[in-house]
Amino acid sequence: MAETLKTAALGAIAKLPDTATLDDIMYRLHVIEKVRKGQDAVKRGETVSTEELKKEVPADYIKEKSKHYNEKKYEEVMSKIPDVEPQDYDKL
């Protein structure tokens, strides 16, 4: 049986640390809502292929955004992210 929205929300809140703020709680609930909406859209077949997405995103936009990309900085930032399991409250 599928988990109800209420059960998912209560479970997510219960997994947060006691020091969690209202913003932390609201963010967690927002993520649950977005994931559920995405899952529902996939079930209804409302998906977009990579090729379709490429057609929808203007090439100028991609070029503009890519001007700011710096592989060295990206790798530097990524190397600082620890390779560890997420906390229980961060798991879906």
Side-chain angles (χ1 to χ4, degrees), residues 15-17 28 81-92:
K15 290 178 184 177
L16 288 169
R28 186 67 55 186
I81 300 172
D83 185 18
V84 296
E85 283 292 313
Q87 298 292 325
D88 284 341
Y89 57 83
D90 276 336
K91 295 179 182 175
L92 294 177

Side-chain angles (χ1 to χ4, degrees), residues 36-51:
R36 284 184 174 248
K37 283 184 176 182
Q39 290 171 331
D40 291 343
V42 168
K43 288 177 187 173
R44 292 189 304 271
E46 297 172 3
T47 59
V48 177
S49 71
T50 304
E51 290 306 314

Side-chain angles (χ1 to χ4, degrees), residues 1-54:
M1 183 166 74
E3 182 179 47
T4 67
L5 181 56
K6 179 180 176 182
T7 303
L10 291 172
I13 293 169
K15 290 178 184 177
L16 288 169
D18 291 339
T19 57
T21 65
L22 185 55
D23 284 340
D24 296 332
I25 293 168
M26 295 300 293
Y27 176 74
R28 186 67 55 186
L29 296 177
H30 175 75
V31 169
I32 290 171
E33 176 190 26
K34 293 297 181 183
V35 168
R36 284 184 174 248
K37 283 184 176 182
Q39 290 171 331
D40 291 343
V42 168
K43 288 177 187 173
R44 292 189 304 271
E46 297 172 3
T47 59
V48 177
S49 71
T50 304
E51 290 306 314
E52 289 172 309
L53 186 59
K54 286 179 183 177

